[in-house]
Amino acid sequence: VDGIEICSMKIDSKITSRFAHNVITSQAVNRGNVHKEVFFDVELPKTAFITNFSMTIDGVTYPGTIKEKEVAKKQYEKAVSRGETAGLVKAAGRKTEKFTVSVNIEAASKVTFELTYEELLKRQFGRYEMFIKVKPKQLVKDFEIEVNIFEPQGITELEAEGTFITNELQNTIKKTFSEKKGHISFKPTLDQQRTCANCSQSALDGDFTVRYDVKRTTPDNLQIVNGYFVHFFAPTNLPNLNKNVIFVIDISGSMSGRAIGQTREALLKILDDIKEDDFFNFVLFGSEVHTWKETLIKATPENLDEARKFVQGIDTSGLTNLHGGIMRGIDMLNAAHEGNLVPKRSASIVIMLTDGQPNVGISNTQEIQAHVKKAIEGKYPLYNLGFGYGIDYNFLEKMALENKGLARRIYPDSDAALQLQGFYDEVSNPMLTDVELNYPENEISDLTRNSFKHFYDGSEIVVAGRLIDSNQNHLTVDVRGEGANDALSYTTQQDAEETAKAFQEQEYIFGEYIERLWAYLTIEQLLEKRIAATGEEKENLTAEALDLSLKYKFVTPLTSMVVTKPEDYDNKDGIADKPIEGIDIFTTVLYLSIQVPLMFPYRKAFIWTQSQPTWYTSVDGDPHFIISVPEKEDAICFNINENPGAVLNLITDPVTGIIVNGELIGDKRANSDAKIQNTYFGKLGIANKHLDLKLTVTPEKITIQNSNEKTGFTWLDSVTLQQEGLTLIINRKRNVVLTMGSGASFVIVLHQVWKKHPLHQDFLGLYTLESDKLSEQTHGLLGQFFHPIDFTILEIHPGSDPKKPDATMIVKNNELTVTRGWQRDYRIDPKHGVDIPCWFVHNNGAGLIDGIHTDYIVSSLF
């Protein structure tokens, strides 16, 4: 692509006792006759830690070094302020984060990238799953995925599949396993990679997944290597425990439409799976709290039928009384246990689904956390499901972790109902409660978590630790838990020699793998504990996790990897950080296009001849819409994320006949995650139907069509043009000022980028002045806001970014979660712009704009 050929790409994965060590190696060559930028772009599982990266250019290796985040930041902040570093890792999708490095290399030069990451594979639904994102973006002469698995317990099943695998490609997946070893290879030829016989496009685009399970002749397995041990516990053939589930569901106004429809759909499927001996109930909260029944009731066929009718009737209204809803659910569960309404031997669970933030009743999140923790008292887990991007994910995660549960984000896509149902399936079959794994205290230290509220069917409990005497080669473990019928107890003994014997057959193990597995698990759990901790405890957990991250060279939220590059051709050193789930990806998108450098020299700001308006609306950047609300001395902004090529109706006024539409363009290379693809306006069409006038503006030229006459200008012209119903001023290479018919004015700002920029291209911004000259019937993405709009801001509270608080906005009878931020107004200073503070509405302006953003897509510019 563009003179850069990827000669080879190899993904080599070695899995030993569930611990995966993956190396991605890619070699590229510059076939052009000038120096070019080469991109190494991969997506990794969010659960993985990067451990190493290097690039070798013509025999010289540039390694990545892992440092404490603050140290790396300080070391590079001067470079950052000069724009000389690049962030390398960012959240990319539901399960992945993207690692991107680019480097300029000379003509005919070769570069080899090598990235290593590790993760502990978790067992779900009876299998371990390893997921590899495949997206080379071009045909690769030598492409290969190779997976070697070694499991001392023996392998019972092994499968590999790819979302992109066609019938022809299916035959290229080679799979073998016997006893303790498994092997998978996928090595398509150039022709097999093509989307069609003579195409140059690659069919390799999607997920490649490996799944397997191990033999279980005993409930657990203990391995000792080099003074460290790992203990896997997953008993089979146990009777299911009865469960008691309270579903606490947010029905506030912001859940209306698709979100509540998908929630109903998921709950109906869940009701089909509830077992007859289970107990359940629903708690709904908007401004008020409602319950289906006063207490938990048994899942008899009659009760389930009644529950289905209730679920079908769930509708939305009001604000978000989250505290009232969750406390009602917990109180009901407590009362059921105290009154012996549910079986003594049963597992209780609270599942809460919300899409917003508390703003009725108690809305202080710390206070809610304290009340919930006190009410649950560690008796059962709380699972928090956060729907969409308007949630305070940190709050939901803290509250869940403090109560032995977890938080999960539900993505607002067409499969949201399946996501909800999938989560329920994970926790729907509890087999044991109060599981304790006990080890001789005087023999071991640095133990990972060893007590678990529930053990679910198809999962696995993993505990690792260090032997005080590294020469000790024997360990006895005692496991206890409460089953469906009685208390259960298991005792296991193991010695290092037995482990060594079990490992004899395999050659490719990396020797310290149990030690690294222990370090991975310890860091993961310390970071989890740190979320809910405060003060000195948080400091100690941070110090311990940082120490281990540095010692074992893991890129975690506390460390950064600094990547150095050759000094020629404006190469920028980079810092790789691990993204954190709680940070809202939409906020990241918001500022991407603002950083585009404008390539014309700074001149004295263009001064408006009109008086500066107090009322304006605009769209600029990655379509960033800014709505000025002078009555509030404030502004609202939102983005529209739509595909390049889409034409959006911005303004339609049937009375004056004025119509403004804009066509989107994308970056030169598509971002691999369409969700956060940069788009800008590359073409604007302004028409006055009554005067038969059409004006087309692109970053290259300005064309006026009056009936059948066409006049064209470029941005290099300086023009003042007046004719009937039209005044046009072109300020060379800066902006176009247009007044049409009624007197409403538009300013189109030109944004130019460096012509050789690998990613961005020139684009346009539109600003509307004196919009009160248009009629009251004006509509469109911008036009609807030419009429006064009222909104109320409630409950401002810290957001995921300390500089950008979140709040609840009441607008058009909707309750929205908004984030305080800034947008650039480029009218007066097209080079630097002026920061306008505004409330950012997420999710394509949902709840703020009339209808949904796709309603504004039109078929053509005129």
Side-chain angles (χ1 to χ4, degrees):
V1 176
D2 194 26
I4 300 294
E5 182 194 342
I6 300 174
C7 318
S8 72
M9 181 174 256
K10 177 153 187 188
I11 300 160
D12 180 54
S13 178
K14 292 178 169 46
I15 303 169
T16 300
S17 296
R18 296 64 150 170
F19 195 62
H21 175 89
N22 303 296
V23 182
I24 302 175
T25 311
S26 178
Q27 190 176 68
V29 63
N30 180 358
R31 299 283 184 211
N33 49 13
V34 292
H35 71 83
K36 289 216 157 120
E37 196 167 14
V38 185
F39 286 83
F40 174 69
D41 203 353
V42 292
E43 286 183 38
L44 314 174
K46 284 182 180 176
T47 45
F49 292 147
I50 292 170
T51 63
N52 199 12
F53 172 76
S54 68
M55 55 189 161
T56 303
I57 301 166
D58 297 334
V60 181
T61 297
Y62 298 86
T65 50
I66 292 172
K67 304 189 173 188
E68 181 182 351
K69 186 171 270 187
E70 289 309 307
V71 172
K73 243 195 196 145
K74 282 193 184 115
Q75 184 182 337
Y76 276 81
E77 73 199 355
K78 280 188 187 146
V80 171
S81 67
R82 295 195 302 265
E84 288 173 8
T85 76
L88 306 182
V89 187
K90 61 173 189 276
R94 295 185 190 179
K95 300 201 296 194
T96 60
E97 52 206 30
K98 184 193 282 290
F99 178 89
T100 305
V101 167
S102 68
V103 63
N104 261 300
I105 61 168
E106 289 183 41
S109 276
K110 273 187 183 172
V111 57
T112 303
F113 299 101
E114 186 174 287
L115 179 74
T116 306
Y117 64 94
E118 293 176 344
E119 66 171 324
L120 179 62
L121 304 181
K122 292 187 171 54
R123 188 169 183 254
Q124 267 187 339
F125 306 120
R127 284 160 169 188
Y128 305 98
E129 179 177 294
M130 187 177 71
F131 156 88
I132 295 168
K133 192 82 174 172
V134 176
K135 199 180 179 79
K137 296 182 185 161
Q138 59 169 268
L139 301 173
V140 179
K141 197 165 86 182
D142 184 11
F143 181 92
E144 183 177 11
I145 295 175
E146 185 173 25
V147 182
N148 283 299
I149 304 170
F150 182 80
E151 286 290 349
Q153 285 167 268
I155 297 169
T156 55
E157 56 176 311
L158 174 64
E159 62 178 59
E161 61 181 33
T163 53
F164 54 88
I165 298 289
T166 56
N167 286 341
E168 192 187 351
L169 280 174
Q170 189 65 48
N171 303 326
T172 62
I173 300 179
K174 303 282 183 261
K175 182 184 81 170
T176 57
F177 73 96
S178 60
E179 288 298 315
K180 300 173 184 179
K181 287 183 185 178
H183 180 257
I184 283 168
S185 80
F186 173 60
K187 199 173 178 179
T189 63
L190 269 176
D191 284 341
Q192 287 168 329
Q193 292 173 42
R194 298 179 198 277
T195 45
C196 68
N198 300 313
C199 299
S200 58
Q201 256 186 318
S202 173
L204 308 187
D205 183 358
D207 304 341
F208 188 84
T209 307
V210 174
R211 294 187 188 89
Y212 73 94
D213 200 18
V214 301
K215 279 184 188 147
R216 298 181 196 280
T217 48
T218 56
D220 56 357
N221 176 256
L222 188 58
Q223 298 171 22
I224 306 168
V225 175
N226 297 347
Y228 287 82
F229 75 86
V230 61
H231 184 197
F232 300 104
F233 177 74
T236 51
N237 303 323
L238 291 176
N240 273 31
L241 270 165
N242 297 335
K243 65 180 181 296
N244 318 303
V245 194
I246 298 264
F247 297 96
V248 181
I249 309 291
D250 181 345
I251 58 158
S252 61
S254 53
M255 281 284 288
S256 64
R258 188 159 85 155
I260 202 68
Q262 291 171 321
T263 303
R264 283 194 293 261
E265 186 188 334
L267 289 174
L268 288 169
K269 288 204 172 84
I270 286 167
L271 286 170
D272 290 342
D273 294 337
I274 285 182
K275 298 176 180 66
E276 193 163 346
D277 289 328
D278 291 345
F279 284 73
F280 73 108
N281 201 352
F282 297 101
V283 176
L284 311 180
F285 65 90
S287 296
E288 306 292 322
V289 177
H290 308 280
T291 60
W292 172 46
K293 300 286 183 189
E294 286 305 302
T295 61
L296 278 100
I297 66 161
K298 201 171 181 189
T300 62
E302 302 76 41
N303 287 339
L304 286 171
D305 280 344
E306 197 184 327
R308 286 184 188 99
K309 288 186 188 120
F310 173 77
V311 166
Q312 279 160 344
I314 293 176
D315 210 350
T316 56
S317 70
L319 302 178
T320 309
N321 186 358
L322 188 148
H323 174 265
I326 188 78
M327 290 304 291
R328 178 76 64 89
I330 295 165
D331 290 345
M332 193 183 286
L333 205 44
N334 286 341
H337 278 283
E338 284 158 19
N340 294 321
L341 298 174
V342 294
K344 212 171 186 61
R345 284 196 173 277
S346 59
S348 292
I349 301 169
V350 180
I351 298 176
M352 177 171 75
L353 172 71
T354 180
D355 78 329
Q357 296 175 30
N359 53 26
V360 174
I362 294 176
S363 54
N364 178 308
T365 52
Q366 289 177 323
E367 219 178 311
I368 296 172
Q369 277 168 236
H371 286 193
V372 166
K373 191 175 178 182
K374 192 176 173 196
I376 290 181
E377 286 181 317
K379 294 192 290 285
Y380 30 78
L382 166 65
Y383 296 107
N384 287 332
L385 307 181
F387 199 108
Y389 301 100
I391 51 173
D392 181 345
Y393 190 84
N394 292 348
F395 155 62
L396 295 180
E397 186 172 39
K398 261 184 195 174
M399 189 161 69
L401 290 171
E402 278 187 332
N403 295 287
K404 300 184 178 178
L406 54 84
R408 187 76 59 85
R409 197 190 282 281
I410 302 296
Y411 292 84
D413 290 335
S414 55
D415 68 341
L418 287 172
Q419 294 174 57
L420 288 166
Q421 195 192 342
F423 174 78
Y424 173 77
D425 290 344
E426 284 176 50
V427 298
S428 63
N429 290 314
M431 314 297 271
L432 295 171
T433 62
D434 301 314
V435 181
E436 296 274 347
L437 301 94
N438 299 308
Y439 306 84
E441 276 180 34
N442 56 342
E443 292 177 16
I444 57 125
S445 68
D446 302 317
L447 191 64
T448 61
R449 182 177 159 204
N450 67 327
S451 73
F452 300 84
K453 194 67 208 164
H454 289 168
F455 167 73
Y456 296 105
D457 191 26
S459 71
E460 180 173 69
I461 287 171
V462 184
V463 181
R466 198 158 63 84
L467 295 164
I468 291 170
D469 175 1
S470 59
N471 296 317
Q472 179 183 330
N473 58 15
H474 183 83
L475 192 62
T476 303
V477 188
D478 178 39
V479 185
R480 295 170 186 278
E482 297 294 328
N485 304 318
D486 48 19
L488 298 174
S489 174
Y490 306 94
T491 301
T492 302
Q493 295 185 337
Q494 177 66 311
D495 63 44
E497 280 174 26
E498 276 180 59
T499 305
K501 208 184 291 174
F503 280 86
Q504 268 168 1
E505 295 168 43
Q506 62 94 25
E507 311 86 38
Y508 45 77
I509 189 171
F510 43 112
E512 76 291 12
Y513 93 95
I514 285 187
E515 184 179 343
R516 291 191 71 78
L517 185 159
W518 164 81
Y520 172 97
L521 200 54
T522 303
I523 293 167
E524 191 180 56
Q525 291 175 7
L526 288 169
L527 292 172
E528 209 173 76
K529 275 189 201 164
R530 183 174 165 263
I531 290 167
T534 52
E536 196 180 336
E537 186 197 359
K538 185 165 191 162
E539 283 173 28
N540 293 339
L541 291 166
T542 302
E544 204 181 328
L546 173 62
D547 191 40
L548 284 171
S549 301
L550 291 170
K551 181 178 175 183
Y552 291 96
K553 296 188 166 43
F554 286 129
V555 177
T556 69
L558 304 175
T559 51
S560 295
M561 183 169 63
V562 176
V563 175
T564 51
K565 302 185 188 178
E567 287 174 8
D568 45 9
Y569 303 128
D570 295 331
N571 278 314
K572 295 175 180 180
D573 292 348
I575 297 179
D577 290 324
K578 189 154 182 70
I580 297 163
E581 178 63 46
I583 306 293
D584 190 334
I585 62 165
F586 282 99
T587 315
T588 319
V589 180
L590 191 63
Y591 297 98
L592 285 176
S593 60
I594 286 168
Q595 293 152 5
V596 173
L598 302 174
M599 285 308 290
F600 44 83
Y602 177 67
R603 295 191 185 82
K604 191 173 171 212
F606 173 70
I607 306 299
W608 295 102
T609 49
Q610 306 99 313
S611 60
Q612 190 63 26
T614 52
W615 176 260
Y616 69 91
T617 56
S618 72
V619 56
D620 206 337
D622 178 15
H624 306 313
F625 290 72
I626 309 178
I627 314 303
S628 173
V629 187
E631 297 89 337
K632 297 274 185 190
E633 297 185 331
D634 209 339
I636 302 174
C637 45
F638 60 98
N639 287 357
I640 294 295
N641 297 313
E642 194 48 66
N643 293 328
V647 180
L648 299 172
N649 173 242
L650 304 175
I651 300 164
T652 300
D653 181 6
V655 176
T656 62
I658 289 178
I659 293 173
V660 183
N661 293 329
E663 182 175 331
L664 296 176
I665 54 167
D667 282 332
K668 290 174 185 170
R669 293 181 305 105
N671 185 321
S672 66
D673 190 338
K675 253 200 158 39
I676 53 171
Q677 176 144 317
N678 280 353
T679 48
Y680 317 84
F681 281 113
K683 193 185 277 186
L684 289 166
I686 302 175
N688 186 324
K689 287 198 164 174
H690 300 342
L691 299 172
D692 200 10
L693 262 180
K694 289 177 187 169
L695 179 86
T696 307
V697 184
T698 71
E700 290 75 46
K701 58 187 181 182
I702 298 116
T703 310
I704 302 167
Q705 189 170 350
N706 192 348
S707 298
N708 296 322
E709 280 179 37
K710 251 190 190 180
T711 314
F713 303 99
T714 76
W715 284 95
L716 296 173
D717 298 321
S718 290
V719 176
T720 301
L721 175 77
Q722 279 191 303
Q723 61 183 69
E724 192 199 343
L726 175 77
T727 304
L728 177 79
I729 302 166
I730 301 176
N731 292 294
R732 186 175 186 269
K733 290 175 82 176
R734 296 166 68 81
N735 53 42
V736 172
V737 185
L738 172 76
T739 306
M740 242 187 189
S742 67
S745 300
F746 306 100
V747 182
I748 297 163
V749 175
L750 171 67
H751 294 280
Q752 288 182 309
V753 303
W754 176 45
K755 290 286 168 257
K756 292 181 181 173
H757 196 289
L759 207 56
H760 302 310
Q761 41 188 344
D762 296 352
F763 63 97
L764 305 169
L766 173 77
Y767 295 76
T768 310
L769 311 176
E770 297 176 272
S771 54
D772 52 343
K773 302 258 176 88
L774 294 169
S775 81
E776 285 188 6
Q777 292 178 42
T778 304
H779 207 262
L781 270 171
L782 274 180
Q784 64 189 291
F785 299 108
F786 293 171
H787 324 298
I789 181 171
D790 193 24
F791 66 88
T792 307
I793 292 290
L794 305 169
E795 303 296 338
I796 298 176
H797 57 277
S800 49
D801 181 333
K803 294 182 189 136
K804 296 176 195 154
D806 284 351
T808 298
M809 173 184 284
I810 310 297
V811 61
K812 295 185 177 178
N813 293 325
N814 292 323
E815 171 207 348
L816 311 176
T817 295
V818 292
T819 302
R820 193 63 172 171
W822 297 267
Q823 292 288 21
R824 290 272 168 95
D825 175 354
Y826 291 97
R827 286 170 306 158
I828 294 177
D829 180 352
K831 182 173 182 184
H832 302 102
V834 177
D835 275 335
I836 302 279
C838 63
W839 290 107
F840 182 69
V841 177
H842 302 271
N843 215 1
N844 292 309
L848 170 69
I849 62 173
D850 295 338
I852 55 172
H853 80 278
T854 50
D855 298 346
Y856 298 87
I857 295 176
V858 291
S859 57
S860 63
L861 211 56
F862 294 111

